[in-house]
């Protein structure tokens, strides 16, 4: 293990990156084919043509492989969403672009995601999107929604600025849930759901500044601030009497 | 199922009902203690002190046991919610009562639910709340929301009448998700979420009749009608070009 770690460091960076990618892709394929629970690190190493020690050098275990998959998906989404964030200022177009590009990026992994979903849904699991371990992927996703809103021509209610990106992320998680259940070719139905809901979301955000809606918006804000899962941006981390969901 | 129903009817109701309950309760306890996957029908029969054949006479398998648990929970909620539905006409009070009584009824099963949740979240599973197999429990829950709305003094937008009960049910499923992740004593945090969101829901429903909101409400209605999972009340069951989620 130690020797291998040294060897790996001495090797050219691209080579180790290649091995890492090879192990990750082999793992995703085996998870999909054999199921997550039934796939061992040994089988992954064997199938990838590396030693078990080498596999463990790159990934501490199966959970780390999935976490790495989350990070990869986040990075791919970040790249795919760039033209959307730099493009049209219309909020509906932007929300639509952010969500559709996520569906594009995630599509190759849908079979794995469907099969794997029940593990991610387990509240005890570090692979849950709400877990502390998933904080990097979650923050990356929230940051995309923040830029989506900030770059739009729609002025959002200033009271809502702190919670809206997280709310959008939560809605995105709802879309992921829908997508995992979606059996249509190319996730056609999920795409149509995005096409239909993006204008609604944009309109609701624009309307939230109406006077008649102020009390409602205020109430919604306060509930979101107190209850949103993965509230990574709360000013104080230890608030007495406020436990984590 | 039909055969069983007939056979069960021929047996004396009280005794067979007792055995059935005993098997179900033993199963829930073992699922909680040992995990759902690791518990066999044989172990359930043994622990309940009945023959394996007898256990299978009452339940075709573990899935049937869980389905039966869903039905039981639905029946207990129906009983608990009666005073709420016959009581106060204020919509916020009614929504709050419906959801809090569900939390009351479900609390004894929370440990099992938390442990079992990942199975229910599996899109392939007949135990998913969106599956065809869960239709009875789902319809029972939707019917409660329908009566909750109908008996209130808040006049709902007539355009929304057909989708609101299903939307409320979907929100209830969101609460179940929150509750499964809730680690607080007596689901204190879930209860507070209900206290805080019930007035918001009631206010949003009341506001949905405002003129300025008409186009938004119309759009929301159409998306809900097309995409709500478990749309059991769609007038036609086979609509060309409309696949199931």
């Amino acid at each position: 293990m130690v020797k291998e770690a040294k060897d790996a460091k001495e090797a050219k960076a691209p080579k180790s990156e290649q091995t890492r990618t090879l192990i990750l892709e082999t793992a995703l394929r085996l998870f999909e084919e054999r199921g997550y629970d039934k796939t061992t690190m040994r089988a992954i190493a064997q199938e990838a043509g590396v030693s078990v020690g080498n596999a463990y050098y790159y990934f501490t275990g199966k959970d780390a492989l999935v976490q790495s998959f989350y990070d990869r998906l986040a990075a791919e989404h970040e790249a795919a969403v760039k033209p959307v964030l730099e493009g049209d200022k219309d909020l509906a177009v932007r929300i639509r672009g952010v969500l559709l590009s996520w569906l594009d990026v995630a599509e190759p992994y849908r079979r794995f995601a469907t099969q794997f979903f029940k593990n991610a849904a387990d509240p005890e699991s570090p692979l849950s999107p709400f877990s502390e371990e998933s904080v990097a992927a979650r923050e990356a996703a929230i940051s995309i929604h923040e830029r989506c809103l900030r770059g739009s021509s729609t002025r959002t209610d200033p009271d809502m600025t702190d919670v809206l990106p997280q709310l959008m992320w939560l809605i995105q998680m709802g879309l992921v849930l829908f997508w995992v259940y979606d059996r249509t070719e190319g996730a056609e139905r999920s795409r149509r759901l995005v096409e239909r809901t993006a204008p609604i979301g944009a309109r609701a955000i624009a309307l939230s500044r109406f006077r008649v809606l102020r009390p409602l918006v205020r109430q919604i804000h306060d509930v979101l601030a107190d209850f949103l899962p993965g509230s990574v941006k709360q000013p104080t981390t230890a608030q007495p009497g406020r436990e984590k969901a």
Side-chain angles (χ1 to χ4, degrees), chain A:
Chain A
M1 182 72 173
V2 174
K3 183 187 169 297
E4 274 176 35
K6 196 166 141 278
D7 287 352
K9 252 184 213 154
E10 279 164 12
K12 283 166 294 185
K15 176 75 167 72
S16 79
E17 204 41 59
Q18 271 173 29
T19 309
R20 204 185 142 81
T21 303
L22 173 69
I23 295 169
L24 178 57
E25 282 174 357
T26 306
L28 290 176
R29 179 165 58 77
L30 292 189
F31 290 160
E32 187 182 311
E33 287 170 10
R34 306 178 185 179
Y36 181 72
D37 294 336
K38 286 182 190 142
T39 306
T40 60
M41 282 295 277
R42 178 170 295 277
I44 294 165
Q46 198 161 34
E47 193 77 13
V50 303
S51 72
V52 176
N54 204 7
Y56 274 108
Y57 166 75
Y58 286 101
F59 299 97
T60 52
K62 290 195 291 175
D63 279 9
L65 278 158
V66 176
Q67 212 55 260
S68 191
F69 162 65
Y70 289 170
D71 294 341
R72 177 191 203 165
L73 207 56
E76 288 183 15
H77 191 210
E78 181 67 43
V81 91
K82 209 165 176 272
V84 175
L85 296 181
E86 288 168 1
D88 206 315
K89 301 245 169 270
D90 182 85
L91 186 54
V93 172
R94 294 173 75 82
I95 294 176
R96 181 181 166 281
V98 166
L99 297 178
L100 285 183
S101 66
W102 188 86
L103 289 176
D104 288 339
V105 161
E107 189 56 25
Y109 311 109
R110 188 147 64 113
R111 256 194 69 195
F112 165 66
T114 305
Q115 188 273 115
F116 180 75
F117 180 68
K118 68 170 184 171
N119 298 293
D122 186 351
E124 307 283 351
S125 172
L127 301 173
S128 145
F130 307 115
S131 77
E132 287 190 28
E133 288 83 353
S134 306
V135 70
R138 188 164 64 237
E139 281 187 338
I142 291 174
S143 145
I144 288 176
H145 291 298
E146 203 177 317
R147 284 172 282 154
C148 171
L149 289 160
R150 204 176 343 114
S152 104
S153 55
T154 300
R155 293 276 58 84
T156 59
D157 185 323
D159 286 350
M160 294 295 277
T161 319
D162 58 334
V163 294
L164 265 184
Q166 276 164 267
L167 177 61
M168 298 296 296
W169 171 76
L170 194 64
I171 290 170
Q172 186 189 338
M173 292 302 104
L175 173 66
V176 172
L177 182 64
F178 189 90
W179 173 78
V180 162
Y181 277 76
D182 185 357
R183 291 279 173 278
T184 58
E185 183 77 23
E188 187 45 45
R189 196 165 154 82
S190 301
R191 301 186 72 85
R192 274 193 287 133
L193 180 61
V194 169
E195 305 271 7
R196 298 277 296 277
T197 48
I200 294 178
R203 197 192 285 243
I205 290 170
L207 282 172
S208 69
R209 303 183 77 209
F210 266 71
R211 205 135 191 286
V212 63
L213 297 177
R214 285 244 68 139
L216 180 65
V217 169
R218 197 65 246 171
Q219 267 183 312
I220 292 174
H221 170 274
D222 291 349
V223 168
L224 289 173
D226 287 352
F227 288 91
L228 267 180
S231 290
V232 287
K233 313 218 158 176
Q234 281 183 5
T236 50
T237 48
Q239 292 185 35
R242 181 170 294 177
E243 66 286 57
K244 267 158 116 188

